[in-house]
Amino acid sequence: MAISSNISITQNSQNIANNKSNITVRVQVTTTGESYNGYSKPGTCTIDGTSYNFSHNIPYQATTTIFEKTLDVAHDSNGEKTVYASFSFQTGISAGTITGSTSKKLTTIPRTSEVSLSKKNFNIGETITIYTNRKSASFTHTAVIKFNGQTVRTQTGIDASYSCNTNELFAKIPNQNQANGTVELTTYSGGTRIGTSTVNFTGYVVNSDPVFNNFDCEDTNTVTKTLTGNNQKYIRKYSILKVTITSANKMTTKNSATPKYYNIVVGNKIEKLDYSTSEISKTINNMDDNTVTVFAVDSRGNQKDKTKALDIVEYSETVLQSVKIERKEGVGETVLISL
């Protein structure tokens, strides 16, 4: 009599949340010839390290399943799994004890959620949405938002998505107008940590120029003021322009920036004036332009300017065209000077 055997593993289904697959292991024998054994004989089948005892007879000229078991097997933490199975069976006939083994690599179960953002480049202050793209509806997540190397927020218990306003990012970059950040998303199945995925983003500061609307100016040259009779009239190249920024007119900044300084521009002359909460002023000698502009500059380098027109009095210096000096009548003591 001849006997052949076969052991097979069939993958039936998967439980993504529990990281398990349902499989069936089946052992079959086929007999040919005249001999058979109508009495049950013992055997053992080992599946994924666990042994199961069974007994079966060998019918005449037939293919018979002598062992079959359906069970769940757990995948590794990364979602991969290879199942090993083997058997040993005492036939009770001339073939004696027969054995066989097999293995099957199961379909990998996706585990870690792949985080994504509604926008990877956005203006700070906008609302963005974090999508978990989770592999199971039972998965929950913790998101750690970092910006400019600093942790901004840690949000737990996220399901499919989470939306948040980004205003709090302003405080992390008081001295720059953009920076990079990350969202680190950790996936949990119940209390078990599965893995972490990360997405990068860039945040930009917009609409954050300082507020600055007014300043005072006057001529402080006593000579030119006497000539014009008005400290709001300026004689070109002679008046001394004084620019004053009162505490009431000082710049105010936006979105976590700090005030830094003012630039005063008159023609090709530029004077810097450090910021102060109290009244401050700067003088510019020999001013030679029709306007004065003050730029208020914050810690990010953003600026707001205010320009005022000046009432200029044009002044032309006396020019001596010719000089003639001669003695009266050529030899006299009197000298005649003609201009």
Side-chain angles (χ1 to χ4, degrees):
M1 147 175 207
I3 183 171
S4 61
S5 62
N6 178 64
I7 180 171
S8 63
I9 301 172
T10 303
Q11 180 177 336
N12 304 315
S13 61
Q14 288 187 318
N15 186 321
I16 294 176
N18 294 329
N19 197 30
K20 292 182 178 181
S21 286
N22 183 266
I23 63 169
T24 297
V25 177
R26 182 178 295 109
V27 180
Q28 293 180 316
V29 295
T30 300
T31 58
T32 59
E34 299 299 326
S35 300
Y36 69 96
N37 189 343
Y39 299 97
S40 291
K41 293 296 181 179
T44 300
C45 186
T46 301
I47 305 171
D48 205 30
T50 301
S51 295
Y52 303 91
N53 296 321
F54 67 93
S55 61
H56 209 283
N57 63 340
I58 300 176
Y60 176 70
Q61 292 188 352
T63 296
T64 305
T65 299
I66 62 173
F67 174 85
E68 182 175 294
K69 187 170 183 62
T70 297
L71 71 161
D72 290 336
V73 293
H75 284 233
D76 299 332
S77 60
N78 62 2
E80 297 181 353
K81 180 63 178 178
T82 298
V83 178
Y84 297 91
S86 61
F87 79 95
S88 175
F89 177 59
Q90 300 177 22
T91 63
I93 59 177
S94 60
T97 299
I98 58 175
T99 60
S101 63
T102 190
S103 65
K104 183 177 181 64
K105 181 175 175 59
L106 304 182
T107 302
T108 299
I109 295 177
R111 304 304 291 152
T112 303
S113 302
E114 295 296 332
V115 62
S116 63
L117 299 176
S118 56
K119 289 184 177 180
K120 295 181 69 173
N121 300 284
F122 55 83
N123 296 329
I124 299 176
E126 293 184 66
T127 295
I128 62 169
T129 300
I130 300 170
Y131 296 104
T132 63
N133 304 298
R134 57 184 176 174
K135 306 304 188 289
S136 170
S138 67
F139 288 172
T140 58
H141 309 82
T142 294
V144 178
I145 303 172
K146 296 181 179 181
F147 188 58
N148 198 32
Q150 306 169 72
T151 298
V152 178
R153 182 187 304 184
T154 299
Q155 188 69 35
T156 61
I158 300 174
D159 295 322
S161 64
Y162 171 69
S163 295
C164 61
N165 186 274
T166 58
N167 276 323
E168 59 195 334
L169 302 185
F170 282 120
K172 304 303 180 183
I173 52 169
N175 302 318
Q176 57 200 89
N177 281 311
Q178 72 177 75
N180 298 322
T182 60
V183 176
E184 298 176 353
L185 188 78
T186 302
T187 307
Y188 292 90
S189 178
T192 302
R193 180 184 180 277
I194 295 176
T196 298
S197 63
T198 302
V199 64
N200 300 320
F201 66 84
T202 301
Y204 298 89
V205 175
V206 297
N207 302 320
S208 297
D209 293 344
V211 177
F212 178 67
N213 296 313
N214 200 17
F215 62 89
D216 299 324
C217 57
E218 62 177 323
D219 184 4
T220 58
N221 186 331
T222 55
V223 174
T224 54
K225 282 196 299 182
T226 299
L227 289 173
T228 62
N230 188 340
N231 68 359
Q232 294 302 305
K233 287 183 178 292
Y234 304 87
I235 297 178
R236 189 183 298 280
K237 295 184 179 180
Y238 285 90
S239 289
I240 299 175
L241 175 68
K242 179 182 180 182
V243 174
T244 300
I245 301 172
T246 64
S247 58
N249 288 332
K250 68 181 184 295
M251 79 169 100
T252 57
T253 54
K254 298 179 182 179
N255 298 323
S256 299
T258 55
K260 298 300 287 185
Y261 60 90
Y262 304 90
N263 274 334
I264 303 170
V265 180
V266 182
N268 60 0
K269 295 181 179 181
I270 301 176
E271 295 288 343
K272 183 179 178 181
L273 183 59
D274 290 333
Y275 173 82
S276 174
T277 55
S278 58
E279 181 173 295
I280 50 177
S281 61
K282 196 78 172 181
T283 58
I284 298 177
N285 296 323
N286 305 323
M287 49 78 57
D288 188 20
D289 201 80
N290 296 340
T291 61
V292 55
T293 301
V294 177
F295 294 85
V297 185
D298 70 11
S299 56
R300 293 191 178 107
N302 297 328
Q303 58 187 23
K304 176 68 180 299
D305 64 275
K306 173 68 176 178
T307 299
K308 286 189 174 184
L310 302 178
D311 187 357
I312 299 296
V313 177
E314 299 294 345
Y315 175 77
S316 298
E317 297 179 348
T318 300
V319 178
L320 190 60
Q321 299 289 346
S322 64
V323 178
K324 182 179 180 182
I325 303 175
E326 60 183 344
R327 289 182 182 275
K328 188 176 183 181
E329 298 175 351
V331 294
E333 294 183 352
T334 302
V335 174
L336 300 179
I337 301 176
S338 301
L339 304 177

